[in-house]
Amino acid sequence: VYWAAEKGIVRGYSNGYFGPEDSCSREQFVVMLWRLAGRPAASRNVEFSDVGSERSTYRALQWAVENDIIRGFDDGSFRPQDTVTRVQTVIMLWRMAGRPEAGSQAYFDDITPSSTGYAAICWGSSDGIIKGFADGTFRPLNECLRQEMVIFLYRFQRYRDNI
């Protein structure tokens, strides 16, 4: 948390708390990725039905669309306020990394080759970016808590520093 706050990737609440057990929206996670990337400019329009250019996060969403880090849903929406899931965070990190090949399979009891995000989960687990739970599961559809996101981002940055 201190690393991410010092780098300007995350911010706490106005009361001074970070809220490690709080969930985070899809939009908030994209903003964290954009900040991690150095707040780069982008020019591609965001064409999600539920995201307008007046949105304070629009520049981050533009960058993520332009770099194929995010995609919308079949109905044309992005659902920026939906809680981001663990698998969605790993997929976005994997795309940001350039979709690298995984070194091994995913060794989680609840992940199979037909699981959504399988390649991203394999990559994230083989490169030490993600870890599962003590019972051997990854729980891909669980909401990704703020503390988990910061850990994923920290490990992702270490991964990028070493490639």
Side-chain angles (χ1 to χ4, degrees):
V1 173
Y2 291 113
W3 166 83
E6 182 179 282
K7 299 284 185 191
I9 297 165
V10 297
R11 295 185 182 136
Y13 298 113
S14 60
N15 64 4
Y17 292 111
F18 174 67
E21 298 288 326
D22 292 351
S23 61
C24 198
S25 71
R26 290 167 46 82
E27 171 178 60
Q28 289 169 330
F29 187 65
V30 169
V31 170
M32 290 178 197
L33 293 176
W34 177 67
R35 289 175 182 159
L36 179 66
R39 295 174 171 82
S43 58
R44 186 166 175 191
N45 288 333
V46 175
E47 297 181 9
F48 298 123
S49 60
D50 54 352
V51 174
S53 61
E54 74 285 346
R55 201 170 194 90
S56 65
T57 58
Y58 190 76
R59 288 181 45 213
L61 294 170
Q62 274 185 300
W63 166 81
V65 166
E66 191 169 282
N67 289 282
D68 198 26
I69 294 167
I70 61 171
R71 296 186 181 148
F73 293 92
D74 290 339
D75 65 0
S77 67
F78 177 64
R79 303 177 193 164
Q81 296 303 312
D82 281 6
T83 300
V84 69
T85 64
R86 289 172 52 85
V87 70
Q88 289 170 341
T89 60
V90 175
I91 290 170
M92 286 186 240
L93 288 168
W94 176 68
R95 289 176 181 161
M96 189 170 170
R99 296 173 172 75
E101 292 291 321
S104 65
Q105 68 184 39
Y107 294 103
F108 299 115
D109 294 340
D110 56 347
I111 302 298
T112 67
S114 63
S115 297
T116 297
Y118 183 74
I121 294 167
C122 289
W123 163 78
S125 62
S126 68
D127 283 306
I129 295 164
I130 61 169
K131 302 214 187 290
F133 294 90
D135 65 359
T137 62
F138 178 65
R139 303 177 195 170
L141 300 180
N142 278 19
E143 63 184 26
C144 196
L145 303 177
R146 287 171 57 92
Q147 65 188 351
E148 293 173 313
M149 280 188 246
V150 171
I151 292 168
F152 291 172
L153 290 169
Y154 178 75
R155 291 178 183 153
F156 177 72
Q157 185 59 49
R158 283 192 359 219
Y159 160 82
R160 286 176 46 182
D161 289 345
N162 292 320
I163 56 172

